[in-house]
Amino acid sequence: MTQIIIDNRFCGPPNSGNGGYVCGRLARHIPGAAEVTLRAPPPLDKPLDAVATDDGTWELRDGARVVATGRAANVELARLETASFEEACAAELLTPLKPHEHPLPTCFVCGPARAKGDGLRIFAGSLGRHNAVLAASWTPDKNLAAEDGLVAPEFLWSALDCPTGFACNCDQQNGSFDKTPLLLGRMSARIEARPRPGDRCIITAWPTGRDGRKRTAEAAAHDEAGRLLAVARATWIEVQREVQLGRPS
């Protein structure tokens, strides 16, 4: 058993951890590709126990409460969408949520209220393709480096998280966008290579389906030369606005 503390810096909603970051922290215990399911809002600034179970899975626990579960997984996508760095920068100008409209402005990944170098400031917008593909640029800050000098894996998970949420609110047929409140329920990712801080990266994301309150999307990260860095698939859940904010009615 080891302990994990989700620092307040890494929030998604104001009072809980960013889903992709938390998934990535737990996935560090799982060799290779992993799938992590969020069971409860991850609390901030509190010691959480990462525990290996008898069946080979991992649990992130807040006392007796299970916050997340993780296991090894096969993460193969049916397709990969790519874009140039210039196309990704242009897509950001078409992000469907303007700063004053953003539902979670302090989110570590996509919050416009976060300063450069503090949050990731990944603002996915439409590439204008027929299949509702979104893109964003990302140049990792030096404070995201792990001990080996490369960007820590949990930040790749983070970078792929919110763009899939944006994609889940895009209609696959016509590319229209709705503003349904969503929370990440499950995320799977496979990391092929980790960039260095300062490397110019491209994130792409696209919707893959809807089933009741569940919405699914996939995402990929490439470097400017086109090298695949990571892929992910995610399931998001439609929730009430108060639940998204961590204030269940």
Side-chain angles (χ1 to χ4, degrees):
M1 182 178 72
T2 59
Q3 284 196 326
I4 291 175
I5 296 177
I6 308 302
D7 187 87
N8 182 68
R9 177 190 175 193
F10 305 119
C11 69
N15 301 313
S16 60
N18 171 266
Y21 175 82
V22 174
C23 290
R25 285 292 301 271
L26 186 58
R28 273 191 170 227
H29 297 279
I30 303 167
E35 175 187 275
V36 180
T37 302
L38 296 169
R39 307 287 184 184
L44 300 170
D45 294 328
K46 183 178 183 181
L48 306 174
D49 296 322
V51 181
T53 65
D54 292 338
D55 63 0
T57 64
W58 281 82
E59 291 184 348
L60 186 63
R61 299 176 183 171
D62 177 14
R65 182 180 66 158
V66 177
V67 173
T69 57
R71 64 179 185 87
N74 180 34
V75 185
E76 298 291 339
L77 306 189
R79 75 182 209 252
L80 276 180
E81 296 288 349
T82 61
S84 69
F85 191 82
E86 290 72 24
E87 287 174 325
C89 291
E92 292 172 344
L93 300 178
L94 301 175
T95 185
L97 291 175
K98 304 310 176 187
H100 67 281
E101 301 173 325
H102 199 289
L104 300 172
T106 60
C107 173
F108 170 64
V109 176
C110 67
R114 301 297 290 266
K116 185 177 180 181
D118 177 28
L120 300 189
R121 296 181 57 84
I122 295 175
F123 308 127
S126 174
L127 278 170
R129 298 177 183 173
H130 72 281
N131 49 0
V133 181
L134 306 182
S137 68
W138 178 43
T139 304
D141 190 86
K142 61 183 179 181
N143 64 34
L144 304 181
E147 291 182 359
D148 61 2
L150 303 178
V151 172
E154 57 264 32
F155 297 121
L156 279 165
W157 281 73
S158 303
L160 294 171
D161 168 23
C162 293
T164 62
F166 277 56
C168 281
N169 273 345
C170 282
D171 186 287
Q172 288 178 266
Q173 302 304 315
N174 58 29
S176 63
F177 184 84
D178 65 72
K179 298 178 183 178
T180 302
L182 303 173
L183 285 176
L184 183 67
R186 175 176 292 159
M187 186 173 181
S188 307
R190 185 185 83 244
I191 295 176
E192 293 287 318
R194 290 158 48 215
R196 293 186 178 278
D199 287 354
R200 303 207 302 182
C201 303
I202 300 100
I203 309 295
T204 51
W206 53 96
T208 56
R210 298 186 182 187
D211 181 13
R213 292 174 54 227
K214 293 181 179 181
R215 302 187 179 194
T216 56
E218 296 175 343
H222 292 81
D223 67 13
E224 192 174 16
R227 177 181 60 154
L228 179 64
L229 301 174
V231 295
R233 55 174 179 254
T235 299
W236 290 72
I237 310 298
E238 297 178 20
V239 296
Q240 297 296 318
R241 174 64 171 153
E242 292 298 300
V243 174
Q244 185 186 44
L245 289 171
R247 299 197 297 260
S249 56

